[in-house]
Amino acid sequence: RIWAPFVLLLGLIWLQVGSALEIGNHFYEGDWELAGFPSDLVNGSFYFFNFGAQYLNALGLRKKGVPFVRYPAREDGTIGCLLDLAAMIFDFLMVIGVIITAPLYAVIGRDDAIGMISAFGAIAGVGTLFRLWRNLGPNTVTLLGGILFLTLALLGVGMTSVYRNTGIEWLHIFIGGSFVSSLVPFTVAILYAEEKSLTEEDPAAGDALIVKDSFDNDAKEQNSDKEEEKAEEGIKSNDA
């Protein structure tokens, strides 16, 4: 159903690496006090893996068989064409996000980079919502999974903003809890992914399946005719 399950799995692994780096950042550098962290390799690595994971997840959930560069789909009308164009731009932004996160952090530092990187993360979350819903379904569970994933992720972003303005340390309960909890509906949506039918996956294979079925039906009819002939011959021999 999706373009690259490996890229999706890699994104989920990056989330775990980012969480480990964040714990190390808080414990070894901040002694669990999070105000006034320097811009350094540990904190920068957390940014790279955490936000890079969002971009990889969004890319991994692309629809299978759809090239990155293509003519926008015109058969679905103007709206469909615009949506396809938006999807191409979205994919381009996700690739750029993976590439520029680390250099951007290194050049402008933690405090200045967080706003721009969080904006890219929010865009990735919106795209991930639609791709969880449409490319794994569409069904009610994949839709709700995508909505809850985005809601919890944005709640974490909102709590981060509140923390930056207030400096209240216990808000990190909601910051970390929101981001971690967002993966629960994300995972449930994956578990309820629907399998594509053979005709949806490959129309040519669907035609082959129809031909195969017709041959099978002909063979069954021939076997049935032979059985009827044998039964008639048996009745005649008994009569004789």
Side-chain angles (χ1 to χ4, degrees):
R1 296 300 306 271
I2 60 176
W3 171 66
F6 173 77
V7 173
L8 177 61
L9 180 60
L10 185 62
L12 295 175
I13 293 173
W14 277 26
L15 281 176
Q16 298 176 58
V17 175
S19 298
L21 288 166
E22 178 75 340
I23 292 171
N25 194 198
H26 291 335
F27 180 73
Y28 292 109
E29 294 190 310
D31 193 22
W32 301 112
E33 293 298 326
L34 310 180
F37 270 154
S39 298
D40 60 10
L41 179 61
V42 177
N43 189 256
S45 298
F46 158 70
Y47 273 62
F48 172 74
F49 282 103
N50 183 67
F51 287 98
Q54 311 300 328
Y55 312 141
L56 290 180
N57 289 340
L59 289 170
L61 287 169
R62 295 178 70 251
K63 181 177 288 188
K64 183 179 179 180
V66 177
F68 271 91
V69 180
R70 59 192 182 276
Y71 286 107
R74 299 178 180 178
E75 59 273 9
D76 296 329
T78 303
I79 296 178
C81 181
L82 292 175
L83 288 175
D84 197 34
L85 181 61
M88 282 192 286
I89 296 173
F90 173 79
D91 289 335
F92 177 75
L93 289 176
M94 294 302 98
V95 174
I96 292 298
V98 174
I99 296 172
I100 71 169
T101 297
L104 183 67
Y105 181 97
V107 171
I108 66 177
R110 172 178 181 262
D111 292 334
D112 293 329
I114 183 64
M116 188 179 300
I117 294 175
S118 295
F120 268 83
I123 295 172
V126 174
T128 300
L129 184 165
F130 282 99
R131 288 180 171 177
L132 276 174
W133 171 38
R134 300 295 300 178
N135 294 351
L136 295 184
N139 58 51
T140 302
V141 177
T142 57
L143 174 59
L144 292 177
I147 291 173
L148 290 174
F149 160 76
L150 180 61
T151 300
L152 290 168
L154 292 180
L155 178 61
V157 173
M159 288 293 100
T160 301
S161 178
V162 174
Y163 162 73
R164 287 172 58 82
N165 291 326
T166 62
I168 301 174
E169 300 299 336
W170 57 262
L171 285 176
H172 272 79
I173 297 173
F174 300 101
I175 296 173
S178 298
F179 287 125
V180 171
S181 299
S182 69
L183 290 179
V184 175
F186 185 98
T187 304
V188 172
I190 292 176
L191 292 175
Y192 278 82
E194 297 178 359
E195 293 186 6
K196 257 192 171 182
S197 67
L198 183 58
T199 54
E200 289 179 304
E201 186 72 28
D202 185 356
D207 294 338
L209 180 62
I210 293 173
V211 173
K212 179 179 180 299
D213 288 341
S214 66
F215 277 117
D216 291 343
N217 291 333
D218 291 341
K220 290 179 181 178
E221 291 178 358
Q222 292 176 2
N223 290 334
S224 177
D225 292 340
K226 289 180 180 180
E227 290 177 358
E228 290 179 359
E229 291 176 0
K230 289 180 180 180
E232 290 177 358
E233 291 176 357
I235 291 174
K236 290 180 181 178
S237 61
N238 291 334
D239 291 342

